[in-house]
Amino acid sequence: MKPTVIDTLFSEDELFYLYKLVTSTNNWSITGIPEGVSYISPKTFNASPQFIIKDNNGQVLDYAMFVYFQSIIFRLKKILQDKKIGLNSVIKRAWINATYNGSKNHWLHRDANNSNLQSVLFFLTPVWKTAWKGSFFVDGQEFKFQPGRIIIFDSKEFHTGEEPESETFNWLRLTANIILSDEH
């Protein structure tokens, strides 16, 4: 699957609401180290804020957010169906990462080795300036961080994020990373 970009799913109001809701929850973990994900590199993620919605063992840790993102997956599936692009619909794993100026938690990796899995990355920060950097790369292709942007790609593809490189005026670079399966 060639990476697919959707820029029109979220309204500005929905992004501001979601950002406020997510950043004010007390469900954040500061470990930022995913459990049970095998990477080709021995390097692991640095400690960073992470909001786990559904973990790698299939346990839903935040039911309301799980239902919200599941409904978004169904909306995405309909949009992609109209474009003749298939999308899995079973959320296998879901979490939100926060990065900020000076955080060093990105490097090239895969979400999975399984070719039946798809990754969906949501840019959830409602305000972002190009000078702040924060792009996302899939197999060398750059996707600029843009509020509300969604990138869908094969989970086996190598990808990485880019840390913000300048003052972001207290805006966190929030990305939701969801892995989809075709199996229940």
Side-chain angles (χ1 to χ4, degrees):
M1 163 184 223
K2 179 182 168 197
T4 302
V5 176
I6 304 291
D7 285 329
T8 57
L9 189 68
F10 295 105
S11 70
E12 186 177 349
D13 288 342
E14 187 175 10
L15 271 180
F16 274 100
Y17 177 80
L18 185 57
Y19 184 88
K20 183 178 179 183
L21 182 71
V22 168
T23 57
S24 64
T25 185
N26 62 358
N27 291 346
W28 286 90
S29 163
I30 59 168
T31 63
I33 302 171
E35 297 175 6
V37 178
S38 59
Y39 294 98
I40 293 172
S41 168
K43 190 171 185 178
T44 58
F45 286 102
N46 296 328
S48 65
Q50 189 175 63
F51 175 16
I52 301 172
I53 298 165
K54 184 175 183 180
D55 68 16
N56 288 316
N57 299 319
Q59 181 178 1
V60 175
L61 303 178
D62 190 299
Y63 189 73
M65 290 301 287
F66 175 77
V67 170
Y68 173 74
F69 277 105
Q70 185 63 72
S71 71
I72 288 183
I73 296 303
F74 291 134
R75 284 195 283 171
L76 272 177
K77 187 170 183 157
K78 174 67 176 133
I79 289 168
L80 293 174
Q81 211 169 27
D82 294 343
K83 296 179 179 209
K84 308 284 189 244
I85 299 171
L87 183 70
N88 296 337
S89 58
V90 179
I91 295 178
K92 181 175 174 69
R93 182 196 85 194
W95 59 49
I96 298 173
N97 294 309
T99 54
Y100 43 86
N101 181 305
S103 63
K104 302 289 183 203
N105 7 335
H106 296 289
W107 67 88
L108 198 61
H109 68 279
R110 293 176 171 172
D111 286 340
N113 293 326
N114 186 336
S115 61
N116 295 331
L117 300 177
Q118 296 168 320
S119 293
V120 183
L121 190 80
F122 298 84
F123 294 155
L124 301 178
T125 307
V127 174
W128 201 260
K129 305 285 183 193
T130 306
W132 298 348
K133 304 280 184 173
S135 290
F136 181 70
F137 299 85
V138 178
D139 200 23
Q141 183 177 356
E142 180 179 15
F143 298 93
K144 299 280 187 190
F145 194 99
Q146 178 178 315
R149 176 166 279 175
I150 300 166
I151 303 161
I152 303 141
F153 58 99
D154 284 329
S155 296
K156 66 181 178 178
E157 293 297 326
F158 283 97
H159 59 277
T160 188
E162 174 184 54
E163 289 87 11
E165 289 188 5
S166 66
E167 180 60 46
T168 61
F169 303 99
N170 294 323
W171 288 102
L172 294 170
R173 178 188 178 275
L174 290 186
T175 54
N177 179 263
I178 297 177
I179 297 178
L180 299 175
S181 173
D182 58 356
E183 303 170 355
H184 287 279

